[in-house]
Each structure stands twice: as structure tokens, then as C-alpha cells.
Amino acid sequence: SGQWHIPDGGLDPLGLSGPRLRKPIVAAVQGICLTIGIELLLATDVRVAATTTRFGQIEIKRGIYPVGGATLRFQRECGWANAMRWLLTGDEFDAAEALRIGLVQEVVDAATVLDRATALADVIAAQAPLGVYATLASARLALPATEEDAARRLMPDLQPLLASDDMQEGLRAFVARRPGAFTGK
């Protein structure tokens, strides 16, 4: 179908199709956060990372591109050049860089990352719910309408990449733990 399958009555955790959760989402992240992990973070509202977290949007190293929302949101959240630095190289970066570019709002010790995210969620939950919902809805309405158009193109634009020699090479390189030798075919 060229789309992620969302069960009837379900919500797309990436926020790419269907209704969005009207409540704010606070995320905690630690360990290794690659590809769809970053895209899930970009679909949340406030993010806290452990100091030891490693990030990487590595699809480009495999001959494909991110289809979970990174091409829609990374540049909006972190600025064009910051997003392109990581989207176009596939390099890994650390929590300090994630904080510097605005991917996360706080960096704390791994032992306290979940507690800190929960504490922020508690502060938000203590506010007037109607005001919180209205703030989130208004902020989402201010997002460019072209994000929805671009979201509809993600999977169709991925299809030719999945059939490419470069994607096959990307998979072989991943398994062999080596850089890909891409040909553009």
C-alpha cells in the first residue's frame, strides 16, 4: 500500500497520517537512538536525553532515505544546516550535539532521564487542560501545510530506492559493517 499500517481506531505514533494525539508527549531517550527512534522523537513535544545517548539518522548509508518524518521535521526542529549535516551524512552524534541543535531540550544522567521526563510531564499535566490542548492545537496549525503534502510522498518516493542496486549494496555494507560502494543505480 505504500503506507504504514495503523489499526482501526489507532493513532500513528509518527503523526504522519490520521488524527494526532491532542495531549502533549514528553519523551525520554537513552542508549542508541537510530533512524525511526529519532523520527519518533521528532513526533513528540518535549524531549529529554541521557548524557550517554548516541543518535544517527543512518538511512542514507543504506541507499534509502528516512520515511518516518525526519525529512519533514528535523530541519524545522533543528534548523536547515544542522538537519542536513546529519541527514545527508548519516554520521552519529551525541547528546550534547542533540541539545545544541534543539533535537532534545535537556540532557541528564542516564539514571535520572525517565524521572526528569516524568517530572516535566507532571508540570504540564498540572496546567489547565483546555489551555494545554488549545496551545498544542494552535502550534500545530501554525506548521506549514506542505508537511502534509510531503508526508504523502514519503512512501511513494521510497519505492524506487528499495528497488535500486544502491539499496542492495547498502544492506550488504550494513551486514559486512563497511561503508557502501554506491553507484547511483
Side-chain angles (χ1 to χ4, degrees):
S1 76
Q3 297 297 318
W4 300 108
H5 173 71
I6 307 299
D8 290 342
L11 293 173
D12 176 1
L14 296 166
L16 296 174
S17 63
R20 301 274 311 260
L21 188 64
R22 70 181 200 142
K23 297 179 181 180
I25 301 171
V26 178
V29 62
Q30 66 182 51
I32 301 171
C33 183
L34 302 177
T35 62
I36 201 155
I38 291 173
E39 291 171 311
L40 286 167
L41 281 179
L42 288 166
T44 67
D45 303 297
V46 179
R47 305 163 208 123
V48 180
T51 55
T52 55
T53 308
R54 293 175 21 218
F55 298 89
Q57 198 71 53
I58 64 170
E59 290 90 342
I60 200 103
K61 291 181 180 281
R62 306 299 166 238
I64 57 174
Y65 84 116
V67 295
T71 59
L72 311 179
R73 299 177 178 137
F74 207 146
Q75 69 275 16
R76 182 186 72 223
E77 299 285 324
C78 304
W80 180 267
N82 286 325
M84 293 304 109
R85 163 64 178 95
W86 303 113
L87 287 171
L88 295 175
T89 65
D91 289 345
E92 283 191 12
F93 55 99
D94 62 14
E97 175 66 359
L99 179 66
R100 184 192 74 78
I101 65 176
L103 179 61
V104 300
Q105 286 64 60
E106 294 187 24
V107 174
V108 299
D109 185 72
T112 63
V113 69
L114 186 56
D115 290 338
R116 181 60 186 143
T118 302
L120 285 168
D122 288 342
V123 170
I124 294 167
Q127 308 311 311
L130 296 178
V132 170
Y133 302 154
T135 299
L136 194 57
S138 178
R140 286 182 179 154
L141 279 174
L143 296 175
T146 55
E147 181 177 307
E148 291 177 13
D149 296 333
R152 283 191 282 278
R153 295 286 328 143
L154 289 170
M155 294 304 241
D157 289 348
L158 177 64
Q159 298 305 314
L161 299 178
L162 292 175
S164 72
D165 292 343
D166 277 355
M167 195 284 265
Q168 292 301 315
E169 169 57 16
L171 290 176
R172 286 189 298 272
F174 176 73
V175 170
R177 297 180 184 257
R178 63 169 171 77
F182 300 114
T183 63
K185 296 179 183 170

